[in-house]
Amino acid sequence: MTVDVSAATEVGQFLLGDSFACLAGRSAWRQGGITHRHYTWFGDDTTGEQMAADLQAYVKAVDWAAKPFTSFVATFSGPLNLSETEFEQHLWQQLQALHDHDSRTHSWAEGYDPDPSSGAFAYSVAGHPFFVIGLHETHSRVGRRPPFPMLAFNSHHQFDRIKAAGLWDRLAEKIRKQDIELQGSINPNLLEYEKLSEARRYSGRPKPADWACPFSARV
């Protein structure tokens, strides 16, 4: 892991660029709510071990209430130019490796199902529930094309606070409106929200009904 200045600059340019539709991510960057770490290789075990340590430190240190939007963003030097199917394979390899290391010292997030086929699933690191968003250069959605593979870990606890404040629906509507302006349609993954397992949406690739998540939790 490195705190890579050039990678951080590219992350900022992407999040603040006209093609990025997520207003929450843009706001988080502007307000200093993004913790960014850059890694060498996407999908391998060494990176998983480094990410486990970094995310555990992040969960321990972050003040979820200090800023409206907070996220841990991991970027990777390569491999680049993956197809959407290849990216999804690397994403789950990476999340599996990360979990394998994290599970040695932490239990699954309380109140969430470790079964990725469950509607109550959330990815867990350091006992904290996250929704993971995958982005890469060749994504079919214009708004999800950073210059390298990227994973954003967003806290479910933060989602709950946004909903409790009555801001969720308004934020979602703004994001969908911008997505339509960018690409002429709503991201089909958004239409599955809270109906099926969120694991289906992590990579951003539309799934057939019989898709099976390759992740297995160690619980």
Side-chain angles (χ1 to χ4, degrees), residues 190-204:
L190 297 177
L191 302 177
E192 289 187 345
Y193 185 73
E194 292 183 344
K195 295 180 180 179
L196 300 171
S197 169
E198 67 176 49
R200 294 175 61 89
R201 302 192 297 279
Y202 284 5
S203 75

Side-chain angles (χ1 to χ4, degrees), residues 2-20 22 25-30 33-39 71-77 135 143 145-152:
T2 60
V3 179
D4 189 297
V5 175
S6 62
T9 298
E10 291 186 271
V11 170
Q13 291 173 343
F14 169 68
L15 295 179
L16 299 180
D18 293 338
S19 65
F20 186 64
C22 182
R26 186 172 308 189
S27 177
W29 182 266
R30 285 175 171 159
I34 298 289
T35 295
H36 169 245
R37 296 292 181 268
H38 188 73
Y39 305 89
S71 183
F72 181 97
V73 172
T75 56
F76 309 85
S77 294
L135 310 95
R145 294 177 186 167
F148 33 46
M150 176 187 295
L151 298 179

Side-chain angles (χ1 to χ4, degrees), residues 77-146:
S77 294
L80 303 176
N81 298 313
L82 297 170
S83 69
E84 288 198 309
T85 300
E86 290 170 336
F87 174 80
E88 184 171 77
Q89 291 171 346
H90 279 72
L91 178 149
W92 286 109
Q93 287 172 9
Q94 192 63 81
L95 293 183
Q96 185 70 61
L98 165 56
H99 170 67
D100 289 347
H101 289 282
D102 178 70
S103 64
R104 296 171 183 171
T105 53
H106 294 85
S107 300
W108 200 262
E110 185 176 355
Y112 292 86
D113 196 331
D115 179 357
S117 68
S118 168
F121 173 81
Y123 187 73
S124 175
V125 188
H128 192 93
F130 287 98
F131 183 96
V132 183
I133 299 176
L135 310 95
H136 59 105
E137 327 93 282
T138 60
H139 201 288
S140 61
R141 304 299 298 183
V142 174
R144 294 179 72 154
R145 294 177 186 167

